Structures are given as C-alpha cells and as structure tokens.
Amino acid sequence: MAPITNGRLIFKEIPTGYPIPGQTTAYDTSSHIDLETEPLNGSILVKTLVLSVDPYLRGKMRAPERESYTPPFFVNEVLYNYGVGKVIRSETSAFRAGDYVYGILDFAEYFIPKDITKLEVIAKEPTLPYSVYVGAAGMPGQTSYYGWKEYAKAKAGEVIFVTTAAGPVGSIVVQLAKQDGLKVIASAGTDEKVKFCKEIGADVAFNYKTTNTADVLAKEGPIDIYWDNVGGPTLETAIANTALRARIIICGYISQYNGEEDYGIKSMKNVLSNRLSINGLLVFDHQDRYKDEFYKVIPKKLASGEFIYTEDITRGLEKGGEAILEVQKGVNTAKKIIVVADD
Amino acid sequence: MAPITNGRLIFKEIPTGYPIPGQTTAYDTSSHIDLETEPLNGSILVKTLVLSVDPYLRGKMRAPERESYTPPFFVNEVLYNYGVGKVIRSETSAFRAGDYVYGILDFAEYFIPKDITKLEVIAKEPTLPYSVYVGAAGMPGQTSYYGWKEYAKAKAGEVIFVTTAAGPVGSIVVQLAKQDGLKVIASAGTDEKVKFCKEIGADVAFNYKTTNTADVLAKEGPIDIYWDNVGGPTLETAIANTALRARIIICGYISQYNGEEDYGIKSMKNVLSNRLSINGLLVFDHQDRYKDEFYKVIPKKLASGEFIYTEDITRGLEKGGEAILEVQKGVNTAKKIIVVADD
C-alpha cells in the first residue's frame, strides 16, 4: 500500500491575544505515512477519530520558560489533547488492532504514540458515541465530578452559581448540583446556551452579556457555592455575593486566557467576613481518588439520559484552528469536538 | 461610701478614616457609682484591670446597618472589648468577690455586666501577669492557635510568610511554625518590631516599609503558607510567590480598615496554577474544637519562657482613644494593652 497524506495541526507561533488560524496554528499536509509498513518500534498505530477542544489549550500556547499547571506546546510541533482513536496495528500486548483508545492524541490523522501509558482502552456504554468520552464522560466531566466531591461540601437547599454553565464542565456541575438538591444559578454567553442550561435543570439561567451578573446574584443569592470557570469581574462579583462559609472552586479563568490585562479582584475582604474557602481545582490532582468512581457513575447516567450532554462538532482536522479559536471566544454552541475521521 | 467618678470611653461618631481621639471616641467622667450600694440585680460588679486594643475594633466603628463578622459599636455607647477585671461584689453563685474574670468588658473603670456568660474565671499561671490573658494567652493567641491547627497543614521544612509578625497573633504564629520545623519569613513595620521577630525565631525578618516584600519572597520563597493580617498589595504579592498547593490563611486586612479604597488583587490566576487553598479565619468559629486544648498548651509555654510575648502598655483609660489609633496606624511597639487600674 502506498503512503498516504497524514494531515496534522501544527503549533506555529506563540500568540499574544487570541490564537489565529494560519498564524498561531496551521494545518500541514507535508507528512506521509504507509499504514502497513510504518515502523512502530513496539508501539501502536492509531487512527484519530475525535479530538477535544478545551479552553485550557490556550494556556499551553505560551513561552515555554513560563511555568504553569500544564506543559507548554512547542513551536513547529504537532498539537495534542484528549481524543479517541482506533488501533490499526499493534506491537504491544497492551493493545490489539481494533481497540478504541482514550487519552492524549496528536492533532494528526494517524500517529504512533511515544508513550502508550497515556492511552487506555475504553469500555464504552453501547449507546454513547465515542465523542462523549472526551467531554461529559472524559476530562471535562471528571473535572466537574472530582471538584464536586472534593470541594463543594454541598447541602440540599443551598444556592450555587455556575459560570460557563452550558459547557462540558459547567453542565455536569449543574446536574450534580440539581441531583444533590441545590438551587442552581447558571450563566452562559449566548441565548442558545442559556436555553440548554434550563434544559439540564438550572433554576435560574441568564446570558451574562445582556443581563448584569451582580443584579442576578443580589436577587437570587447569596450563594453558598461558586463554580468559577471565568475569573475576572465575575469572580469579584461572586465573592461579593457569598453567604457565610461559602465555597469557591476556581476551575478556570477564560476571561484572562488571551492576553487580557490581569484584573484586580476588589472583594477579597469578604473572604474574612464570610469565612470563605477558596480552592484551585486541577483534574489531575484527584484522579487517584475519584477516577474509578467517575467511570462507574457518570457514563451510565449519560447513557440512560439521566444526565444530558450536548456537542458542537467541527468536521475535519483542517478546521482545527478555527475550532480552537471559537472556544476561546465562546462562540461555540456547546462542548467543542473535532471529528477527524469516521470509524 | 460616697459615689465615685466612673471614667468611661464612649463611641462618639462613625469615622471615615482613622479613629480620632476626642472625635471618634471620647473619655467621659459624667458617670458616678457607689461601689457598696450600686444595685447588681443578680449580676456582679467588676473593677476593670486591663483592656485589650485590637485591630478588629475599627471594624466595629461602622454604620450599624452594614453587616460584618462582628457586631457594630453604637454611637454614644461605651466601647467594649476583651479584658481582665476583678469581681468586687457578686449576687450570683457563678462568681465570688475576689475572682479574676476574663471576657468582654466595658471600657469603664467599673461596670456591671448585663450578660455574665461572656465572662469566665481565669485559672492563671502564677508567673504570668493578667495582661497576657488578653494577648498571647487570650483571643489573639487563640486566633493563631486555632488557625494553625485548622488550616496550616504544616510540614517541617516548609516556608511560611507571616505579616504583622511582631503582633500578638503573628508572633504566636511565628513560634508555632518554628516549633513545627518551618522556615519563617516575618514582616513588620518598625525596626524594633523586626528585632522582636528575630528574637522569637524568625529565620528572615524585614521592615516592609523599607524593604520590598516581593524581593524578599522572590529570594526566600516560594512560600507554602501565608498568614495574612494585612490584605491589599501584600496579599497580592504573597499569592504571586506561592509554591504548589500553598495554604493562605486570611486573618485580617489592616491595610484596608481605615477607609482606604478596596485594593484589587491581580494575582488570583495563581489560585488555579498552584492549586491554592485560601481560608478566612475567625477565632470564634473554632472555639468549641480547640479552646480547651489552647488553655492547656499555650499559657504554660508562655509561663515557662518557651514562647515569648511582648506588650506595649498605655496607662489610664483616658488615653484609650490614643491607644486605639496607635494600633490602627501600627505605631504601637507590640501587643497594645490599656492598664485601667492596678490590682
């Protein structure tokens, strides 16, 4: 069999603001691969099916000497993130041809992982598509589940405010909170997303671009839990509207990922007045404790329809740069997936 | 016996900035009391010996409709705070004449408490003066002890940064941290206070008015624990210099008590990057759990000299307004005590 083109998305340049397709990232067709003869050296050959596009990827597009919670991308190297692929060939007993694997995949149509320990075979719920395993049943859903278990200390009747509540992290938080009997205030950036927040059970849902967050929290709060995916002025407002002994879970700060000036939070006095507890949440810190439980609980709820998910699909890796930008700008309509190839 | 003058310190006016003696507070000699015949109505007559002057008193000098963690003072009423007094007469079996009591006392030479449950008889270490029971062995020392037990999660070899480290709260934190094997960075606002920080074991001590905090933390950090008594830019700098999984204990914000504009903390991204844990500490929340243990442990350490304390004494209630202002400005040299009368 002759070599075929192996399309890949390359990190080209460290952005100062938003990541621009064709400048920050570029689709590359210069690489070729012979699926039958390409040497595997004890690894596997993976055909990429779906890739996840997450807000945190912007944090990897930085000068590599700057430290952060996630390693940097390197210029002229292939991007990577959570995805699902199918094993085409295997030279290890850990995987067989035909297996579906979840883990860190290259933004490439085909790839041979250097480190196969970052992949695992999926035991899929029959009625769930693979794409869900990079969203509600993957890293974003795990983020929600671990953070909820570790830091929410939720009691029925309490009030939670969730930002980016239509996203894959926020929407699972909303549904975990409803399951535990809380009143949920949800915010999102489009009316379509707000509609989805209501569908998944939010008691109050609003478009933060057209409705003032402080007004909503003054009316519907004070809040006992704040799930922060945005940072900036919204975090300041949430802290200002906390109840006594409220818990704040800092999970992201999309408002400050794209070169915006650091916003100064002026409501920190409330940390003492209300004896707040604020915790930074990174999903990887809590895997050992909650991962098995997560896979036992959440995929079944999604398969049965007890928990609802939604996706916004970009077809074709050549549009990957646009998908990444959409998520940074919040113009995606739901959890962003790149479908690289059909099964 | 004829009635005698009962000097009192009155709250006269809600301040916008610093509390000015003669304006915010005023010494009043219009009240008289007959120590032998004044009706007690089942209460006790207390002769005030020492009163504590604490930073948090400024928070009580606010418009009463503004909520906070401590009830407000009311205009034209007598100030009150922690103190030690001697029971002169008693009409309750809970106290006997001659008992020394600790608790909330009026800023008055003599007073008859409306609520005797706010007072308790002191079981004093023989070598300790009563004044220590409103400082290192009182509410400030309890604040340090409870916060340390509840939130520090200290491990030997870690680095802690303590602000207002020569004060009654900070100095006990410094000594608890040294006892647990930590490296202690201490800041204070005068060279005399810095000298005291070194005497109690701080590894690094500096005058934040003449030395840049960020430079010190960059050199001596990153910090695993930050004990915050000041808020504002110092809190921002501390957050920016944290190690992974650092703990921040928010115990006060003296930099913002006196009408200063709310300062915006720009380093909150680090809460996620370093997975920080931030907790607001109020001493009263933790009494049930740690108070008995505190009184078993700390007074003995102070009496034996294992823990060191220092005091800055104002003699005479008529100078109480000045003592309060000194603490807000930080020009006191140590834990501020008003000695109202000798035993």
Side-chain angles (χ1 to χ4, degrees):
Chain A
M1 194 169 160
I4 58 170
T5 297
N6 185 20
R8 303 176 305 160
L9 198 67
I10 310 287
F11 182 50
K12 293 301 289 179
E13 187 183 290
I14 296 163
T16 51
Y18 284 107
I20 307 302
Q23 181 176 330
T24 309
T25 58
Y27 185 66
D28 173 88
T29 56
S30 66
S31 177
H32 296 79
I33 188 167
D34 186 319
L35 300 182
E36 286 172 2
T37 62
E38 186 75 23
L40 301 184
N41 300 314
S43 184
I44 56 179
L45 174 61
V46 177
K47 179 186 179 185
T48 304
L49 300 178
V50 298
L51 289 167
S52 177
V53 181
D54 299 294
Y56 89 97
L57 292 179
R58 178 62 181 81
K60 297 174 81 68
M61 298 177 177
R62 67 179 190 272
E65 62 274 15
R66 259 187 50 216
E67 286 196 33
S68 185
Y69 59 91
T70 177
F73 287 137
F74 290 97
V75 166
N76 290 325
E77 294 192 2
V78 180
L79 298 164
Y80 55 83
N81 193 21
Y82 292 91
V84 174
K86 187 175 186 177
V87 177
I88 305 291
R89 287 194 287 132
S90 173
E91 290 185 355
T92 164
S93 60
F95 298 96
R96 288 176 306 183
D99 279 349
Y100 292 89
V101 290
Y102 165 76
I104 298 295
L105 270 63
D106 276 5
F107 274 53
E109 292 177 294
Y110 297 93
F111 87 117
I112 298 155
K114 287 197 191 87
D115 180 2
I116 58 168
T117 65
K118 289 188 174 169
L119 296 173
E120 55 195 301
V121 175
I122 302 181
K124 193 173 81 77
E125 293 291 324
T127 57
L128 283 184
Y130 282 108
S131 56
V132 179
Y133 285 83
V134 301
M139 185 274 284
Q142 287 170 33
T143 303
S144 315
Y145 193 82
Y146 302 172
W148 191 254
K149 289 278 167 177
E150 186 72 18
Y151 298 121
K153 297 178 173 60
K155 290 186 283 287
E158 286 192 327
V159 178
I160 182 174
F161 173 40
V162 184
T163 46
T164 72
V169 175
S171 62
I172 296 295
V173 172
V174 167
Q175 294 176 84
L176 288 166
K178 285 313 299 175
Q179 177 184 270
D180 283 356
L182 279 78
K183 170 179 167 179
V184 175
I185 306 169
S187 73
T190 70
D191 291 346
E192 185 180 359
K193 289 176 181 174
V194 168
K195 188 163 165 275
F196 179 66
C197 291
K198 287 177 182 160
E199 281 166 24
I200 60 176
D203 300 278
V204 179
F206 67 100
N207 182 338
Y208 71 88
K209 290 179 179 167
T210 55
T211 303
N212 185 276
T213 300
D215 292 345
V216 176
L217 297 187
K219 178 168 176 247
E220 304 289 347
I223 55 177
D224 300 290
I225 305 174
Y226 172 50
W227 191 287
D228 184 31
N229 285 319
V230 301
T234 310
L235 173 59
E236 177 177 275
T237 302
I239 291 174
N241 284 279
T242 44
L244 203 61
R245 297 192 184 82
R247 288 78 67 196
I248 295 180
I249 300 164
I250 306 263
C251 179
Y253 44 87
I254 186 76
S255 73
Q256 318 259 295
Y257 285 170
N258 289 285
E260 298 87 349
E261 204 179 325
D262 285 335
Y263 182 83
I265 305 290
K266 287 186 178 163
S267 51
M268 291 293 285
K269 282 179 182 176
N270 265 22
V271 177
L272 179 55
S273 306
N274 289 342
R275 282 88 94 192
L276 305 184
S277 168
I278 304 179
N279 283 282
L281 167 65
L282 189 68
V283 59
F284 312 114
D285 292 345
H286 308 282
Q287 281 179 331
D288 291 350
R289 189 155 178 199
Y290 298 114
K291 191 176 164 187
D292 291 348
E293 184 184 322
F294 170 83
Y295 278 113
K296 273 183 206 142
V297 172
I298 296 297
K300 279 193 177 48
K301 283 185 190 285
L302 294 163
S304 71
E306 185 188 338
F307 274 18
I308 297 169
Y309 66 92
T310 179
E311 296 174 338
D312 175 353
I313 290 171
T314 292
R315 295 196 74 88
L317 187 55
E318 67 278 12
K319 294 187 198 132
E322 282 81 2
I324 289 169
L325 179 60
E326 283 171 34
V327 168
Q328 292 303 318
K329 291 198 160 175
V331 296
N332 55 315
T333 59
K335 166 63 193 167
K336 175 58 81 176
I337 306 285
I338 304 170
V339 172
V340 178
D342 292 317
D343 188 6
Chain B
M1 193 170 161
I4 58 169
T5 298
N6 185 20
R8 303 176 306 160
L9 197 67
I10 310 286
F11 183 49
K12 294 301 289 180
E13 188 184 289
I14 296 165
T16 52
Y18 283 107
I20 307 301
Q23 180 177 332
T24 309
T25 58
Y27 185 68
D28 173 88
T29 55
S30 65
S31 176
H32 296 80
I33 188 168
D34 187 317
L35 299 182
E36 286 173 2
T37 63
E38 186 75 22
L40 302 184
N41 301 313
S43 183
I44 56 179
L45 174 61
V46 178
K47 178 186 179 185
T48 303
L49 300 178
V50 297
L51 290 166
S52 177
V53 181
D54 299 293
Y56 89 98
L57 293 179
R58 178 61 181 82
K60 298 174 81 70
M61 298 177 176
R62 67 179 189 272
E65 61 274 16
R66 259 188 50 214
E67 286 197 33
S68 186
Y69 59 90
T70 176
F73 286 136
F74 292 97
V75 166
N76 290 326
E77 294 192 2
V78 180
L79 298 165
Y80 55 83
N81 193 22
Y82 292 91
V84 173
K86 187 176 187 177
V87 177
I88 304 291
R89 286 193 289 133
S90 173
E91 291 184 356
T92 163
S93 60
F95 298 96
R96 289 176 305 185
D99 279 347
Y100 292 88
V101 291
Y102 165 76
I104 297 295
L105 270 63
D106 276 6
F107 274 53
E109 291 178 294
Y110 297 92
F111 87 118
I112 298 155
K114 287 196 191 88
D115 180 3
I116 59 168
T117 66
K118 290 188 173 168
L119 295 173
E120 56 194 302
V121 175
I122 302 180
K124 193 173 82 74
E125 293 291 322
T127 58
L128 283 183
Y130 281 108
S131 56
V132 179
Y133 285 83
V134 300
M139 186 272 284
Q142 287 170 33
T143 302
S144 315
Y145 192 82
Y146 302 172
W148 190 253
K149 289 277 166 180
E150 187 73 18
Y151 298 121
K153 296 179 174 58
K155 289 186 282 289
E158 286 192 327
V159 178
I160 182 174
F161 173 41
V162 184
T163 46
T164 71
V169 175
S171 63
I172 295 296
V173 172
V174 167
Q175 294 176 86
L176 287 166
K178 285 313 298 175
Q179 178 184 270
D180 283 355
L182 280 77
K183 171 180 166 178
V184 176
I185 305 169
S187 73
T190 69
D191 291 345
E192 185 179 0
K193 289 175 181 175
V194 169
K195 187 161 167 275
F196 178 65
C197 292
K198 287 178 181 161
E199 282 167 22
I200 59 176
D203 300 278
V204 178
F206 67 100
N207 182 338
Y208 71 87
K209 290 179 180 167
T210 55
T211 303
N212 185 275
T213 300
D215 292 345
V216 175
L217 297 187
K219 178 167 177 249
E220 304 288 348
I223 55 177
D224 300 289
I225 305 173
Y226 172 50
W227 191 287
D228 184 31
N229 285 320
V230 300
T234 309
L235 173 58
E236 177 178 274
T237 302
I239 291 175
N241 284 279
T242 44
L244 203 61
R245 300 194 181 80
R247 287 79 66 195
I248 295 180
I249 300 162
I250 307 262
C251 179
Y253 44 88
I254 186 77
S255 73
Q256 318 259 295
Y257 285 170
N258 289 286
E260 298 86 350
E261 204 180 324
D262 285 336
Y263 181 84
I265 305 289
K266 288 187 178 162
S267 51
M268 290 294 283
K269 284 180 183 177
N270 264 21
V271 177
L272 179 55
S273 307
N274 289 342
R275 283 87 93 191
L276 305 184
S277 169
I278 304 179
N279 283 282
L281 166 66
L282 189 68
V283 60
F284 312 115
D285 292 345
H286 308 281
Q287 280 179 330
D288 290 351
R289 189 154 177 201
Y290 298 114
K291 189 175 165 188
D292 290 349
E293 185 185 321
F294 170 84
Y295 278 114
K296 273 182 204 143
V297 173
I298 296 296
K300 280 194 175 49
K301 283 185 191 284
L302 293 163
S304 72
E306 186 188 339
F307 274 17
I308 298 169
Y309 66 93
T310 179
E311 296 173 338
D312 175 354
I313 290 171
T314 292
R315 295 196 75 88
L317 187 55
E318 68 278 11
K319 292 187 199 133
E322 281 81 2
I324 289 169
L325 180 60
E326 282 171 36
V327 167
Q328 292 302 319
K329 292 199 160 176
V331 297
N332 55 315
T333 58
K335 166 66 194 166
K336 174 59 79 176
I337 306 284
I338 303 170
V339 172
V340 178
D342 291 317
D343 186 7

